[in-house]
Short mmCIF file of all heavy atoms in Angstrom, two decimals:
data_model
loop_
_atom_site.label_atom_id
_atom_site.label_comp_id
_atom_site.label_asym_id
_atom_site.label_seq_id
_atom_site.Cartn_x
_atom_site.Cartn_y
_atom_site.Cartn_z
N TYR K 1 0.83 -1.21 0.00
CA TYR K 1 0.00 0.00 0.00
C TYR K 1 0.86 1.25 0.00
O TYR K 1 0.61 2.20 -0.75
CB TYR K 1 -0.91 0.01 1.23
CG TYR K 1 -1.72 1.28 1.37
CD1 TYR K 1 -2.94 1.41 0.70
CD2 TYR K 1 -1.27 2.35 2.14
CE1 TYR K 1 -3.68 2.58 0.80
CE2 TYR K 1 -2.00 3.51 2.25
CZ TYR K 1 -3.20 3.63 1.58
OH TYR K 1 -3.93 4.79 1.68
N ASP K 2 1.87 1.28 0.86
CA ASP K 2 2.65 2.48 1.09
C ASP K 2 3.84 2.62 0.15
O ASP K 2 4.32 3.71 -0.12
CB ASP K 2 3.15 2.52 2.53
CG ASP K 2 3.81 1.21 2.96
OD1 ASP K 2 3.48 0.16 2.37
OD2 ASP K 2 4.65 1.24 3.88
N LYS K 3 4.32 1.48 -0.36
CA LYS K 3 5.50 1.49 -1.23
C LYS K 3 5.61 0.12 -1.88
O LYS K 3 4.89 -0.82 -1.54
CB LYS K 3 6.77 1.78 -0.41
CG LYS K 3 7.03 0.74 0.66
CD LYS K 3 8.28 1.04 1.49
CE LYS K 3 8.49 -0.03 2.55
NZ LYS K 3 9.69 0.23 3.36
N ALA K 4 6.52 0.00 -2.85
CA ALA K 4 6.80 -1.31 -3.42
C ALA K 4 7.37 -2.21 -2.32
O ALA K 4 8.25 -1.80 -1.56
CB ALA K 4 7.81 -1.18 -4.56
N HIS K 5 6.82 -3.43 -2.21
CA HIS K 5 7.17 -4.34 -1.13
C HIS K 5 6.87 -3.68 0.22
O HIS K 5 7.74 -3.55 1.08
CB HIS K 5 8.65 -4.76 -1.20
CG HIS K 5 8.97 -5.49 -2.46
ND1 HIS K 5 9.93 -5.05 -3.34
CD2 HIS K 5 8.47 -6.63 -3.00
CE1 HIS K 5 10.00 -5.88 -4.37
NE2 HIS K 5 9.12 -6.86 -4.18
N GLY K 6 5.62 -3.28 0.39
CA GLY K 6 5.18 -2.62 1.61
C GLY K 6 4.07 -3.39 2.31
O GLY K 6 4.01 -4.63 2.26
N ASN K 7 3.17 -2.65 2.97
CA ASN K 7 2.10 -3.25 3.76
C ASN K 7 1.09 -3.97 2.86
O ASN K 7 0.47 -3.35 2.00
CB ASN K 7 1.35 -2.18 4.56
CG ASN K 7 2.27 -1.37 5.45
OD1 ASN K 7 3.32 -1.85 5.88
ND2 ASN K 7 1.87 -0.14 5.76
N ALA K 8 0.94 -5.26 3.09
CA ALA K 8 0.00 -6.04 2.28
C ALA K 8 -0.37 -7.33 2.99
O ALA K 8 0.42 -7.87 3.78
CB ALA K 8 0.60 -6.36 0.91
N VAL K 9 -1.58 -7.81 2.72
CA VAL K 9 -1.99 -9.15 3.12
C VAL K 9 -2.54 -9.82 1.88
O VAL K 9 -3.28 -9.21 1.10
CB VAL K 9 -3.03 -9.12 4.27
CG1 VAL K 9 -4.24 -8.28 3.92
CG2 VAL K 9 -3.46 -10.52 4.63
N ILE K 10 -2.15 -11.07 1.66
CA ILE K 10 -2.52 -11.79 0.43
C ILE K 10 -3.25 -13.08 0.77
O ILE K 10 -2.81 -13.85 1.63
CB ILE K 10 -1.26 -12.13 -0.40
CG1 ILE K 10 -0.46 -10.88 -0.71
CG2 ILE K 10 -1.66 -12.83 -1.70
CD1 ILE K 10 0.87 -11.16 -1.42
N LEU K 11 -4.37 -13.29 0.11
CA LEU K 11 -5.06 -14.57 0.16
C LEU K 11 -4.83 -15.26 -1.18
O LEU K 11 -5.20 -14.73 -2.23
CB LEU K 11 -6.56 -14.39 0.39
CG LEU K 11 -7.42 -15.66 0.50
CD1 LEU K 11 -8.68 -15.38 1.31
CD2 LEU K 11 -7.84 -16.22 -0.87
N THR K 12 -4.20 -16.42 -1.15
CA THR K 12 -3.92 -17.18 -2.38
C THR K 12 -4.76 -18.44 -2.41
O THR K 12 -4.73 -19.24 -1.47
CB THR K 12 -2.43 -17.56 -2.47
OG1 THR K 12 -1.64 -16.37 -2.43
CG2 THR K 12 -2.15 -18.32 -3.76
N MET K 13 -5.51 -18.62 -3.49
CA MET K 13 -6.33 -19.82 -3.71
C MET K 13 -5.67 -20.69 -4.76
O MET K 13 -5.58 -20.31 -5.93
CB MET K 13 -7.72 -19.42 -4.20
CG MET K 13 -8.61 -18.84 -3.14
SD MET K 13 -9.63 -20.08 -2.35
CE MET K 13 -10.53 -20.75 -3.70
N ASP K 14 -5.20 -21.86 -4.36
CA ASP K 14 -4.59 -22.82 -5.27
C ASP K 14 -5.65 -23.85 -5.65
O ASP K 14 -5.96 -24.75 -4.86
CB ASP K 14 -3.39 -23.48 -4.60
CG ASP K 14 -2.75 -24.57 -5.46
OD1 ASP K 14 -3.18 -24.76 -6.61
OD2 ASP K 14 -1.82 -25.23 -4.96
N MET K 15 -6.20 -23.73 -6.86
CA MET K 15 -7.29 -24.62 -7.28
C MET K 15 -6.76 -25.99 -7.71
O MET K 15 -7.55 -26.93 -7.85
CB MET K 15 -8.08 -23.98 -8.43
CG MET K 15 -8.74 -22.66 -8.06
SD MET K 15 -9.82 -22.78 -6.61
CE MET K 15 -11.12 -23.84 -7.27
N ASN K 16 -5.46 -26.11 -7.92
CA ASN K 16 -4.87 -27.39 -8.32
C ASN K 16 -4.83 -28.36 -7.13
O ASN K 16 -5.36 -29.46 -7.18
CB ASN K 16 -3.47 -27.16 -8.89
CG ASN K 16 -2.86 -28.43 -9.45
OD1 ASN K 16 -3.49 -29.48 -9.52
ND2 ASN K 16 -1.60 -28.35 -9.85
N PHE K 17 -4.24 -27.89 -6.03
CA PHE K 17 -4.11 -28.74 -4.84
C PHE K 17 -5.19 -28.45 -3.79
O PHE K 17 -5.15 -29.01 -2.70
CB PHE K 17 -2.73 -28.56 -4.22
CG PHE K 17 -1.60 -29.07 -5.08
CD1 PHE K 17 -0.74 -28.19 -5.71
CD2 PHE K 17 -1.44 -30.43 -5.27
CE1 PHE K 17 0.28 -28.65 -6.51
CE2 PHE K 17 -0.40 -30.91 -6.07
CZ PHE K 17 0.46 -30.02 -6.70
N ARG K 18 -6.13 -27.55 -4.13
CA ARG K 18 -7.23 -27.19 -3.24
C ARG K 18 -6.69 -26.71 -1.88
O ARG K 18 -7.08 -27.16 -0.82
CB ARG K 18 -8.18 -28.38 -3.02
CG ARG K 18 -8.78 -28.94 -4.28
CD ARG K 18 -9.86 -28.05 -4.84
NE ARG K 18 -11.01 -27.95 -3.94
CZ ARG K 18 -12.10 -27.22 -4.23
NH1 ARG K 18 -12.16 -26.55 -5.38
NH2 ARG K 18 -13.12 -27.17 -3.39
N GLU K 19 -5.76 -25.76 -1.95
CA GLU K 19 -5.20 -25.17 -0.75
C GLU K 19 -5.38 -23.66 -0.77
O GLU K 19 -5.44 -23.04 -1.83
CB GLU K 19 -3.71 -25.50 -0.62
CG GLU K 19 -3.41 -26.88 -0.08
CD GLU K 19 -1.95 -27.02 0.31
OE1 GLU K 19 -1.10 -26.93 -0.60
OE2 GLU K 19 -1.67 -27.21 1.50
N VAL K 20 -5.44 -23.08 0.43
CA VAL K 20 -5.52 -21.63 0.57
C VAL K 20 -4.42 -21.19 1.52
O VAL K 20 -4.12 -21.89 2.50
CB VAL K 20 -6.91 -21.19 1.08
CG1 VAL K 20 -7.22 -21.81 2.44
CG2 VAL K 20 -6.99 -19.66 1.17
N TYR K 21 -3.79 -20.06 1.21
CA TYR K 21 -2.72 -19.53 2.06
C TYR K 21 -2.93 -18.04 2.27
O TYR K 21 -3.24 -17.30 1.33
CB TYR K 21 -1.35 -19.77 1.41
CG TYR K 21 -0.19 -19.39 2.30
CD1 TYR K 21 0.14 -20.17 3.40
CD2 TYR K 21 0.56 -18.24 2.07
CE1 TYR K 21 1.20 -19.83 4.23
CE2 TYR K 21 1.61 -17.88 2.89
CZ TYR K 21 1.93 -18.69 3.97
OH TYR K 21 2.97 -18.35 4.81
N LEU K 22 -2.80 -17.61 3.51
CA LEU K 22 -2.88 -16.19 3.86
C LEU K 22 -1.53 -15.74 4.39
O LEU K 22 -0.93 -16.42 5.22
CB LEU K 22 -3.95 -15.95 4.93
CG LEU K 22 -5.40 -15.82 4.46
CD1 LEU K 22 -5.92 -17.19 4.02
CD2 LEU K 22 -6.29 -15.26 5.56
N ALA K 23 -1.06 -14.59 3.91
CA ALA K 23 0.24 -14.06 4.33
C ALA K 23 0.13 -12.57 4.58
O ALA K 23 -0.49 -11.84 3.81
CB ALA K 23 1.30 -14.34 3.26
N GLY K 24 0.74 -12.11 5.70
CA GLY K 24 0.75 -10.69 6.02
C GLY K 24 2.16 -10.14 5.99
O GLY K 24 3.08 -10.73 6.57
N PHE K 25 2.35 -9.02 5.30
CA PHE K 25 3.68 -8.42 5.15
C PHE K 25 3.75 -7.06 5.84
O PHE K 25 2.82 -6.25 5.75
CB PHE K 25 4.02 -8.26 3.66
CG PHE K 25 4.15 -9.56 2.92
CD1 PHE K 25 3.04 -10.19 2.39
CD2 PHE K 25 5.40 -10.17 2.75
CE1 PHE K 25 3.15 -11.40 1.69
CE2 PHE K 25 5.52 -11.36 2.07
CZ PHE K 25 4.40 -11.98 1.54
N TYR K 26 4.86 -6.81 6.51
CA TYR K 26 5.16 -5.56 7.18
C TYR K 26 4.08 -5.20 8.20
O TYR K 26 3.89 -5.92 9.18
CB TYR K 26 5.46 -4.45 6.16
CG TYR K 26 6.78 -4.74 5.46
CD1 TYR K 26 6.80 -5.40 4.24
CD2 TYR K 26 7.98 -4.41 6.07
CE1 TYR K 26 8.01 -5.73 3.62
CE2 TYR K 26 9.20 -4.73 5.46
CZ TYR K 26 9.20 -5.39 4.25
OH TYR K 26 10.39 -5.72 3.67
N LYS K 27 3.32 -4.13 8.04
CA LYS K 27 2.30 -3.79 9.04
C LYS K 27 1.33 -4.95 9.26
O LYS K 27 0.93 -5.24 10.38
CB LYS K 27 1.54 -2.54 8.63
CG LYS K 27 0.49 -2.09 9.65
CD LYS K 27 -0.25 -0.86 9.18
CE LYS K 27 -1.29 -0.44 10.21
NZ LYS K 27 -2.04 0.78 9.77
N ALA K 28 0.96 -5.61 8.18
CA ALA K 28 0.03 -6.74 8.27
C ALA K 28 0.67 -7.93 9.00
O ALA K 28 -0.04 -8.74 9.59
CB ALA K 28 -0.44 -7.16 6.88
N GLU K 29 1.99 -8.04 8.95
CA GLU K 29 2.65 -9.12 9.68
C GLU K 29 2.47 -8.94 11.19
O GLU K 29 2.32 -9.92 11.93
CB GLU K 29 4.14 -9.17 9.34
CG GLU K 29 4.88 -10.32 10.02
CD GLU K 29 6.36 -10.39 9.64
OE1 GLU K 29 6.86 -9.42 9.03
OE2 GLU K 29 7.00 -11.41 9.99
N ASP K 30 2.48 -7.67 11.63
CA ASP K 30 2.30 -7.38 13.06
C ASP K 30 0.83 -7.49 13.48
O ASP K 30 0.52 -8.08 14.51
CB ASP K 30 2.82 -5.98 13.38
CG ASP K 30 4.33 -5.87 13.19
OD1 ASP K 30 5.02 -6.88 13.40
OD2 ASP K 30 4.80 -4.77 12.83
N TYR K 31 -0.06 -6.90 12.68
CA TYR K 31 -1.48 -6.83 13.06
C TYR K 31 -2.26 -8.08 12.64
O TYR K 31 -3.33 -8.33 13.20
CB TYR K 31 -2.11 -5.58 12.45
CG TYR K 31 -1.76 -4.31 13.19
CD1 TYR K 31 -0.57 -3.65 12.96
CD2 TYR K 31 -2.63 -3.79 14.15
CE1 TYR K 31 -0.24 -2.48 13.65
CE2 TYR K 31 -2.32 -2.62 14.83
CZ TYR K 31 -1.12 -1.98 14.58
OH TYR K 31 -0.80 -0.84 15.27
N LEU K 32 -1.78 -8.79 11.66
CA LEU K 32 -2.40 -10.06 11.25
C LEU K 32 -1.35 -11.16 11.41
O LEU K 32 -0.80 -11.65 10.43
CB LEU K 32 -2.91 -9.97 9.81
CG LEU K 32 -4.04 -8.96 9.56
CD1 LEU K 32 -4.37 -8.89 8.07
CD2 LEU K 32 -5.28 -9.30 10.35
N ASP K 33 -1.07 -11.51 12.65
CA ASP K 33 -0.06 -12.53 12.92
C ASP K 33 -0.60 -13.91 12.57
O ASP K 33 -1.72 -14.05 12.06
CB ASP K 33 0.40 -12.46 14.37
CG ASP K 33 -0.77 -12.63 15.36
OD1 ASP K 33 -1.84 -13.12 14.96
OD2 ASP K 33 -0.60 -12.27 16.54
N ASN K 34 0.18 -14.95 12.85
CA ASN K 34 -0.23 -16.31 12.48
C ASN K 34 -1.58 -16.68 13.08
O ASN K 34 -2.43 -17.27 12.41
CB ASN K 34 0.82 -17.32 12.95
CG ASN K 34 2.18 -17.10 12.30
OD1 ASN K 34 2.30 -16.35 11.34
ND2 ASN K 34 3.20 -17.75 12.83
N GLY K 35 -1.78 -16.33 14.35
CA GLY K 35 -3.02 -16.68 15.02
C GLY K 35 -4.23 -16.00 14.42
O GLY K 35 -5.28 -16.63 14.22
N ARG K 36 -4.11 -14.72 14.12
CA ARG K 36 -5.24 -13.99 13.53
C ARG K 36 -5.53 -14.47 12.11
O ARG K 36 -6.69 -14.59 11.72
CB ARG K 36 -4.96 -12.49 13.54
CG ARG K 36 -4.95 -11.89 14.94
CD ARG K 36 -4.80 -10.37 14.92
NE ARG K 36 -4.77 -9.82 16.27
CZ ARG K 36 -4.72 -8.52 16.55
NH1 ARG K 36 -4.68 -7.63 15.57
NH2 ARG K 36 -4.72 -8.10 17.81
N LEU K 37 -4.49 -14.74 11.34
CA LEU K 37 -4.70 -15.26 9.99
C LEU K 37 -5.37 -16.63 10.04
O LEU K 37 -6.23 -16.95 9.20
CB LEU K 37 -3.38 -15.33 9.23
CG LEU K 37 -2.75 -14.00 8.81
CD1 LEU K 37 -1.45 -14.25 8.05
CD2 LEU K 37 -3.71 -13.19 7.94
N GLN K 38 -4.98 -17.44 11.01
CA GLN K 38 -5.58 -18.76 11.14
C GLN K 38 -7.07 -18.64 11.50
O GLN K 38 -7.90 -19.41 11.03
CB GLN K 38 -4.85 -19.59 12.19
CG GLN K 38 -5.23 -21.06 12.18
CD GLN K 38 -4.10 -21.95 12.67
OE1 GLN K 38 -2.92 -21.64 12.42
NE2 GLN K 38 -4.43 -23.03 13.33
N ALA K 39 -7.40 -17.65 12.35
CA ALA K 39 -8.80 -17.42 12.71
C ALA K 39 -9.61 -16.99 11.49
O ALA K 39 -10.75 -17.43 11.29
CB ALA K 39 -8.88 -16.37 13.81
N ILE K 40 -9.02 -16.13 10.66
CA ILE K 40 -9.70 -15.69 9.43
C ILE K 40 -9.90 -16.87 8.49
O ILE K 40 -10.99 -17.07 7.93
CB ILE K 40 -8.89 -14.57 8.74
CG1 ILE K 40 -8.87 -13.31 9.60
CG2 ILE K 40 -9.48 -14.26 7.36
CD1 ILE K 40 -7.94 -12.23 9.10
N ARG K 41 -8.85 -17.67 8.33
CA ARG K 41 -8.94 -18.80 7.41
C ARG K 41 -10.01 -19.80 7.85
O ARG K 41 -10.77 -20.33 7.02
CB ARG K 41 -7.58 -19.50 7.30
CG ARG K 41 -7.56 -20.62 6.26
CD ARG K 41 -6.16 -21.24 6.16
NE ARG K 41 -5.70 -21.75 7.44
CZ ARG K 41 -6.11 -22.92 7.95
NH1 ARG K 41 -6.99 -23.66 7.30
NH2 ARG K 41 -5.63 -23.34 9.10
N SER K 42 -10.10 -20.04 9.15
CA SER K 42 -11.11 -20.99 9.64
C SER K 42 -12.52 -20.47 9.40
O SER K 42 -13.46 -21.26 9.23
CB SER K 42 -10.89 -21.27 11.12
OG SER K 42 -11.13 -20.12 11.91
#
């Protein structure tokens, strides 16, 4: 959001292996940590 390679959260849907992955970068890494991302995914 703020710059190239900056604050972002990504939801990736892999339709081949039927998997979903959530990742938080920079500010999102702090505010959307592993536990919060897992809660969102569930």
Side-chain angles (χ1 to χ4, degrees):
Y1 175 85
D2 50 335
K3 60 181 180 180
H5 299 121
N7 304 333
V9 55
I10 305 174
L11 181 155
T12 302
M13 285 268 301
D14 176 4
M15 299 304 294
N16 186 5
F17 293 108
R18 302 286 295 181
E19 280 193 296
V20 59
Y21 186 73
L22 277 72
F25 295 85
Y26 291 95
K27 182 181 180 180
E29 182 178 12
D30 295 329
Y31 283 82
L32 295 175
D33 58 18
N34 298 348
R36 291 185 181 184
L37 288 181
Q38 192 152 325
I40 294 172
R41 185 178 58 78
S42 66

